[in-house]
Amino acid sequence: MDDAVIRDYISRELVRDPAILPLENSTPLLDSGVVDSLGLLRLVVFIQDQFGIVMDDLDVVPEHFASVDAICAYLRSRPDYAAAEQPEDARA
Amino acid sequence: MAHLLQQLLTDTARALPNAVAVECEEESLTYAELDRLSNSLARALLTCGVARGDRVGILARKSASSVVAVYAALKAGACHVPLDPGSPGERLAMIVGDSGIVVLLADEANAGRARELAEAASPDCRVISMDPRECSESSAALPAEGSDTELAYMLYTSGSTGVPKGVMISHRAALTFVEWAAACVRLTPEDRVCSPAPLHFDLSVFDIFSACRAGACTVLLPPLTSMFPVRLAEWIQTQRVTVWYSVPSVLTMLASHGNLQARDLGGLRAVIFAGEVFPAKHLSLLMRQLPGARFLNWYGPTETNVCTWYEVAHSATPLTAPVPIGRPCDGVDVFAVTADGSRVSAAGQEGELHVGGPGLMSGYWGLPERTREVMVPNPLAEGGAPVYRTGDIVTLDEGGNYVFLGRRDGMVKTRGYRVELGEVETVLYEHPAVREAVVLPVPDEMLGNRLRAVVCAGEELSREEVLEHCRRRLPAYMVPDTIEFAEYLPRTSTGKVDRVLLSDAKPASR
């Protein structure tokens, strides 16, 4: 579910070339230029606000932002991360 | 002494053939190799019909081969025009058409776009791959012919009327900066110089040419690295970078998020910044973390390249105000003129900065009237060569240093790039549903300014539609960061859009 929230944010706020839409979880975000330096700052702020975590500077590395999948994998690795609460049926 | 830029390379290739000229991830070229490869590519350009003074476009990311391409264009006697691969097609087409580019040198990633641009521009416009492996021409040296008043390169900057303008730089103007900069930084063959600036940004003149002048190594930053401060710090250390030159925003990120205390950046002996004001707080933080480095603030628009400089002294007390832009570079005539036409000579007086001397541009390509508006007769002296009006308002401090106060017109800096607000407004007005539009700078510590657009639409128009419209026509840094809608724009008594009132109004949520 969180992947959809992140995908939606990036599609709405950061994508410059609509040809890349719809965004897949595996779409490269960095090599494709979807996320640039300003976009990265905004994405970090969004992730922190959205998921109630504080990203350490050492965690802001390309591996964690390569794709929506990569962002989700990073989030899951965080002990303080709780996946957004969703009704069971919405997850299906 | 060299009178053409390419002689810097032939001289260094002769003196230090085995010294590394360019390093780019796994790729590296010695000066001898750079010299040979650029000879071959220059011959390919000549075979293609390139003649002295012709414009050769370079559509490529900064790489070892794009450095070869730059020198090849120069050796062929051409004026090179670096194009931003990140710009939308419409803008690139405008530049290719305006400058009359006859050959486009493209890297593999941009070959397809280059072909489209060439086809649209003219049936005579050719595309050549800059991959040295595809070039079979002889690598024999080419004679350095031509006068130093011929154009070496042309850089396109934002134009207030909505059309980018080409700043023409002669060999003489470029060398004036290149020689001064190499001496100011005291570059030696031991240095490893890095600038993340792309080729179409004039900061790259330093790492491409001044490093070559000194026989130093230009270390090219891998793409993406400058976005990630922790990785950037690690890279600077492992690459043993000794001299860094960039806009302040990259350094601000490095200082505040680079985890520098875990690094040994003792090898970094000079940190140079230009392009916009470095917020004092972040500069102090960086200086505390790099106590052994010299810190240099360079100032100058593309039209003059660097014309003043200031060395920031390390101090136990943090800086509280932006550092001065400093004193004139050697050989450059710099003065400020007050509103009543006299020279700024005492601390506290304000005036517009004017620049004269050999470093000036030759004018704007194909825009003689626009050129005459900025290259004016010296207002303080009869006769003599024209001087450039920077549009920057400055004052003098007690120590005789110039201090930047602001702009005379609608130009702002964002991410170190110049943006004419009028150019963004012109693009907004091109949308059929836009009735009125104004673009306002919102000061931002990290970026210099964010761009806030206020749009009055005649019909239903979404924020996404406006952004999409801008993104198709403007480079990313010129696309407004926020879009707001209003019923009408407030006006002053003279009927002008009341930018002050709009700036004071609390921006609506995006």
Side-chain angles (χ1 to χ4, degrees), chain B residues 141-368:
Chain B
L142 294 99
E145 289 169 343
S147 140
D148 64 357
T149 57
E150 287 174 24
L151 299 186
Y153 54 89
M154 199 147 70
L155 301 173
Y156 273 80
T157 66
S158 180
S160 57
T161 57
V163 181
K165 47 189 197 292
V167 178
M168 301 188 281
I169 306 291
S170 67
H171 285 267
R172 180 168 182 237
L175 281 166
T176 301
F177 163 74
V178 167
E179 299 277 355
W180 169 82
C184 174
V185 185
R186 304 194 277 270
L187 288 180
T188 75
E190 308 303 314
D191 275 311
R192 296 174 57 81
V193 180
C194 179
S195 169
L199 291 175
H200 63 276
F201 196 174
D202 77 341
L203 269 67
S204 67
V205 174
F206 175 71
D207 60 321
I208 305 291
F209 297 108
S210 293
C212 178
R213 166 72 179 81
C217 176
T218 297
V219 196
L220 299 178
L221 194 63
L224 305 181
T225 305
S226 70
M227 278 171 66
F228 296 92
V230 169
R231 283 293 153 82
L232 177 59
E234 183 186 349
W235 185 85
I236 291 173
Q237 181 181 343
T238 56
Q239 293 298 314
R240 296 170 286 111
V241 171
T242 62
V243 176
W244 173 272
Y245 182 31
S246 75
V247 293
S249 53
V250 183
L251 293 167
T252 293
M253 289 292 293
L254 189 68
S256 44
H257 300 290
N259 197 35
L260 292 187
Q261 66 280 6
R263 295 270 151 225
D264 174 11
L265 298 188
L268 188 57
R269 64 171 191 83
V271 175
I272 314 161
F273 47 94
E276 63 196 338
V277 176
F278 200 148
K281 177 173 81 176
H282 299 296
L283 175 55
S284 287
L285 177 62
L286 186 64
M287 291 182 73
R288 268 205 309 283
Q289 298 179 97
L290 299 172
R294 291 174 78 194
F295 281 78
L296 304 172
N297 184 22
W298 285 0
Y299 160 87
T302 305
E303 287 85 341
T304 69
N305 213 322
V306 177
C307 55
T308 71
W309 70 293
Y310 181 80
E311 179 151 5
V312 191
H314 285 274
S315 155
T317 43
L319 298 160
T320 52
V323 295
I325 58 173
R327 294 168 180 280
C329 306
D330 295 340
V332 182
D333 188 19
V334 178
F335 56 91
V337 181
T338 63
D340 60 14
S342 56
R343 186 187 184 111
V344 168
S345 54
Q349 286 181 332
E350 289 179 16
E352 182 180 355
L353 202 71
H354 288 60
V355 184
L360 292 198
M361 68 163 176
S362 310
Y364 298 121
W365 177 260
L367 298 169

Side-chain angles (χ1 to χ4, degrees), chain B residues 429-494:
Chain B
Y429 273 105
E430 282 169 10
H431 193 288
V434 170
R435 196 158 38 81
E436 284 194 290
V438 64
V439 178
L440 304 157
V442 180
D444 180 290
E445 253 193 8
M446 204 68 93
L447 304 172
N449 285 284
R450 283 172 194 258
L451 301 180
R452 170 183 166 224
V454 184
V455 173
C456 307
E459 53 197 82
E460 197 62 23
L461 185 65
S462 71
R463 193 184 147 272
E464 285 69 27
E465 283 172 278
V466 177
L467 283 175
E468 164 65 16
H469 171 82
C470 292
R471 284 166 185 157
R472 287 205 174 278
R473 291 162 180 82
L474 295 169
Y477 63 87
M478 289 177 71
V479 173
D481 297 293
T482 58
I483 306 277
E484 292 162 36
F485 291 97
E487 282 294 307
Y488 62 92
L489 297 180
R491 301 272 165 180
T492 64
S493 57
T494 57

